[in-house]
Amino acid sequence: MTKDSASMTASPNSGLALSLVASALLTDEDSQKYSAQARQQRKPLISFLVENKILGSAALAEFCEQEYGIPLLDLDAFDLTEIPQKYLNHKLIEKHHALPIYTQGHTLYVAMSDPTNVGALEDFGFSFGLHTEALLVDELKLQQAIGKLTESESEALGVEELTDSEIGELEVSDDDGRMNEDAASGGDDDAPIVKYINKVLLDAIRRGASDLHFEPYEHKYRIRFRVDGILHEIASPPVNLASRFSARLKVMSRLDIAERRLPQDGRIKLKLAKGKAIDLRVNTLPTLWGEKIVLRILDSSAAKLNIDILGFDERQKALYLGALDKPQGMILVTGPTGSGKTVSLYTGLNILNTAERNISTAEDPVEINLPGINQVQVNPKAGLTFASALRAFLRQDPDVVMVGEIRDLETAEIAIKAAQTGHLVLSTLHTNSAAETLTRLLNMGVPAFNVASSVTLIMAQRLARRLCEKCKQPEHVPDPELLALGYSQAQVEEGVKLYKPVGCSECSGGYKGRVGIYEMMPMNEAIANLIMEGGNSLQISALAQEHGMRTLRQTALEKARLGVTSLAEVNRVTNG
């Protein structure tokens, strides 16, 4: 039996067992027998007694309250959604059969059915750097509470719940595909660090996080996940472990452990199960109190490349499909980092991916593996840039070319020439709106005629959090405020019903998942002429709106009117 599993069981002479014998609730013989059976089943004694109906949970709770003088808390009256996520360390909860539920000052209160389980208080206190106090709860209610918090943990992963032994190997995705043996197994002294990092990575994947942040400060170490575009603090381990965390992550990423003065970039491939692997991009940054490390999760199996779930309205969907159906031209997707550009592009490529087409992509990094498409990972250090990859593509009889990002004039010129010579080109730029994308190309030095004749469609986008369908509630907004927000007089007269987030056990703060917000600007003769005349982005945007284009703000407001997202989220993603 492992040390962890032994801690969950009770020895024949444990504190609780002795108290039950002393109070004549159990005989000494029964106490030893039940303790042995509980230990064999790897269960706490109190769980064994309740599950086998030897003693009732309510009676045990009343006994413990009187025997140990610890206040009894009714868990049914406690809102589990109010428990701070950073204290929900599921490994500790499972190990000790105890649940941290709230803090007051520097004290963490832990709900437990066995008040003699001092090891739980010590472990939770050490993990979070807080003083701990026990709160007595009914065993059955504790089981139900823990079950509610853990039952949906594996949904985002898409596989059965994994134990430590099932995590698999950790390896770095090197060019030669070699296994990182140093990362696969840590030394004995670092075994707790290895397990802790593995658990953090698994928790992030299960929760559907896109990024992990490991951040050292003078008196605190913070770990945060970005879920649905928002960062959440999930743990605050002892700050004296900062150097060991960074060393472990750098070993996994094949980075120089001794180099702490300069930023570094690396990769990790995490094997979770047979046929299940996830890539992570790693970046280290020297800060005042140590190295901040950010990991970006690239889970190609989690991407849903279905145009019907992206968030297009019917007109936007028709425009995108129409541009994809053309044999040549350029489709540009624009927006800040993390706005969903990659998924939009891959969805288009997935539609185009047929046996009749030769499709090649140049990406940095390759985020989603698409069988049937020739994907190239650019490597500027080796001379493989977007521009050089594009030149090679054009010598290989392509039908469709995707360039991860147009960053310079050389790449822009090659991409535009490809679009003008019978190829369909898809790419991205980092601009704030569709109209600004055209002026960015002009500012790079691309001639206005080439821009006007090659670009087919520009799609600016953002990602807004979806309201949870189970807990969202109507929100009243006065008519004058609706008009000021951007709703038309006709919409206000017809009635605009908005909703606000609430929060429940099924979501995160009232939101669950994200939806795309789009601004589609197809190229037409009027816009082309304005570009040739030297029109600026404001003039181009105004003209496009005259021809039916809906701005990001207008699209977002419509999503709120349909109950998909909230007004607060509209203001957040459209800077309203």
Side-chain angles (χ1 to χ4, degrees), residues 400-475:
V400 180
V401 171
M402 196 270 272
V403 187
E405 183 183 350
I406 294 178
R407 298 175 178 171
D408 51 52
L409 177 59
E410 183 182 18
T411 305
E413 286 181 335
I414 299 171
I416 284 174
K417 286 178 183 176
Q420 292 173 329
T421 55
H423 308 94
L424 181 61
V425 179
L426 293 83
S427 190
T428 71
L429 277 89
H430 286 279
T431 57
N432 291 324
S433 68
E436 288 178 35
T437 304
L438 294 172
T439 55
R440 173 67 60 84
L441 290 171
L442 296 172
N443 292 336
M444 280 184 182
V446 179
F449 172 78
N450 285 342
V451 173
S453 62
S454 60
V455 175
T456 304
L457 176 70
I458 302 176
M459 180 167 67
Q461 71 176 81
R462 302 288 188 274
L463 286 177
R465 289 180 292 172
R466 286 181 181 270
L467 283 167
C468 175
E469 292 296 329
K470 292 194 175 182
C471 67
K472 68 180 182 182
Q473 291 183 1
E475 178 181 20

Side-chain angles (χ1 to χ4, degrees), residues 237-259:
V239 70
N240 63 335
L241 298 178
S243 60
R244 294 173 67 186
F245 283 145
S246 62
R248 171 61 186 164
L249 290 168
K250 287 162 79 173
V251 166
M252 293 165 65
S253 313
R254 285 196 183 275
L255 299 178
D256 185 354
I257 298 179
E259 179 56 75

